[in-house]
Amino acid sequence: MPELPEVEVSRLGVSPHLIGNTITQVVVRERRMRWPIPEEVSKVEGQKVIAVKRRAKYLLIETATGTLILHLGMSGKLRVIDAVTPVVKHDHVDIVLNTGKCLRLNDPRRFGAVLFQAPNTQQAMFNNLGPEPLTDDFDDKRLFSLSRNRKGPVKNFIMDNAIVVGVGNIYANEALFLAGIDPRRAAGNISAARYKALTATIKQVLAKAIEQGGTTLKDFAQTDGKPGYFAQHLNVYGRKGEPCEVCGNAIESKVIGQRNTFFCTRCQR
């Protein structure tokens, strides 16, 4: 599933084509997505795009009459293309612009979403989200305080969107490795000093991934069709049995919280 850096790369890619231009039509070919696409999405037609923002893994296309909310799900791809480009299989939604371009969502598995949010309202999925990881609202004091008395694995803890949004599986593995923390350890048994290091590595890993274009996944490419490049620099994720680049010990793997988890038992404790 595309993680926060992939979604942020998508936001950066589509923003110049949308902001300041007018949405002339929202073409919905398939309404059966994660949630049915509501008829209200047409309310943005004739409206100028004011901003393109991101909250967690959701893209927010803002207009004066409301906001389109997009989620890529597990296999969604966004492309800015000529509006007359022939439709191919799984091209479910077009956001057509006055420039002759359109933002096209292709989603084979239909786990993505296109929703509408009226002004001064908030969709329920945003109600209990934690802070964005690359903002000052996310800090080590928050992590340490919320971790007390938690017996579950620290990896699950930092992937909890109520704690901090957008730390998905790939980047949780990488941040824990860089911080030297075993992902199996109970969140409540980790010291304040180690949470300070972990907070810094989460920010570092996510910022680097965004800078380098996201992580290459089978179902992800940037808005220009090029894959991301951060996968070339993964320390542990997907490297079971390979030698740790720091100590040479074989990388191990275990399922934690229904997700494959990769770690070095020598470097992480």
Side-chain angles (χ1 to χ4, degrees):
M1 178 180 291
E3 297 193 18
L4 183 149
E6 285 76 40
V7 180
E8 180 64 10
V9 167
S10 292
R11 186 190 72 80
L12 293 170
V14 304
S15 291
H17 301 279
L18 296 178
I19 295 174
N21 292 319
T22 299
I23 298 173
T24 59
Q25 189 179 13
V26 179
V27 180
V28 180
R29 302 183 188 88
E30 175 59 82
R31 292 192 182 273
R32 297 172 300 169
M33 303 289 281
R34 179 190 301 185
W35 302 287
I37 298 178
E39 296 287 347
E40 287 86 349
V41 297
S42 64
K43 290 185 176 181
V44 301
E45 293 179 349
Q47 297 297 310
K48 183 176 292 187
V49 176
I50 299 170
V52 180
K53 299 179 181 178
R54 179 191 52 76
R55 181 68 172 115
K57 297 180 185 179
Y58 294 91
L59 285 178
L60 310 178
I61 301 174
E62 296 185 355
T63 75
T65 58
T67 298
L68 289 180
I69 301 172
L70 276 63
H71 194 286
L72 297 177
M74 295 184 69
S75 60
K77 297 183 180 71
L78 289 172
R79 295 286 187 276
V80 176
I81 57 176
D82 291 332
V84 296
T85 302
V87 173
V88 299
K89 190 175 182 180
H90 309 304
D91 281 347
H92 299 318
V93 179
D94 282 2
I95 300 171
V96 185
L97 302 166
N98 63 311
T99 59
K101 300 287 186 179
C102 77
L103 180 64
R104 180 167 290 176
L105 172 64
N106 181 286
D107 188 359
R109 302 183 192 178
R110 290 193 281 115
F111 290 156
V114 181
L115 300 172
F116 177 78
Q117 181 172 273
N120 303 313
T121 67
Q122 180 170 273
Q123 288 279 359
M125 80 276 286
F126 297 136
N127 289 345
N128 298 308
L129 293 180
E132 291 286 331
L134 296 178
T135 65
D136 292 338
D137 291 334
F138 173 59
D139 61 20
D140 56 289
K141 295 180 179 63
R142 174 183 175 83
L143 270 189
F144 180 72
S145 174
L146 294 177
S147 70
R148 297 306 85 189
N149 300 317
R150 290 186 181 247
K151 298 179 180 179
V154 63
K155 180 167 177 274
N156 291 353
F157 174 65
I158 64 172
M159 290 180 64
D160 183 344
N161 280 329
I163 304 300
V164 56
V165 301
V167 184
N169 193 38
I170 294 173
Y171 302 109
N173 279 278
E174 292 297 299
L176 286 164
F177 173 78
L178 291 173
I181 297 173
D182 189 317
R184 301 168 295 181
R185 285 195 61 182
N189 291 340
I190 294 173
S191 69
R194 302 198 79 195
Y195 271 119
K196 186 171 184 178
L198 179 57
T199 302
T201 61
I202 288 172
K203 291 176 181 283
Q204 171 190 337
V205 165
L206 292 174
K208 186 176 180 182
I210 292 167
E211 180 184 351
Q212 297 187 342
T215 300
T216 301
L217 299 174
K218 180 179 67 174
D219 291 329
F220 174 75
Q222 295 183 76
T223 53
D224 59 5
K226 299 177 182 178
Y229 299 103
F230 189 63
Q232 298 176 22
H233 303 280
L234 295 175
N235 294 287
V236 289
Y237 184 82
R239 298 189 59 233
K240 179 181 179 180
E242 297 180 25
C244 171
E245 295 178 353
V246 174
C247 72
N249 196 43
I251 299 298
E252 296 190 15
S253 176
K254 180 181 179 180
V255 176
I256 298 177
Q258 300 181 324
R259 298 294 188 93
N260 285 331
T261 303
F262 302 87
F263 53 97
C264 174
T265 56
R266 190 173 295 170
C267 292
Q268 294 171 257
R269 56 184 177 80

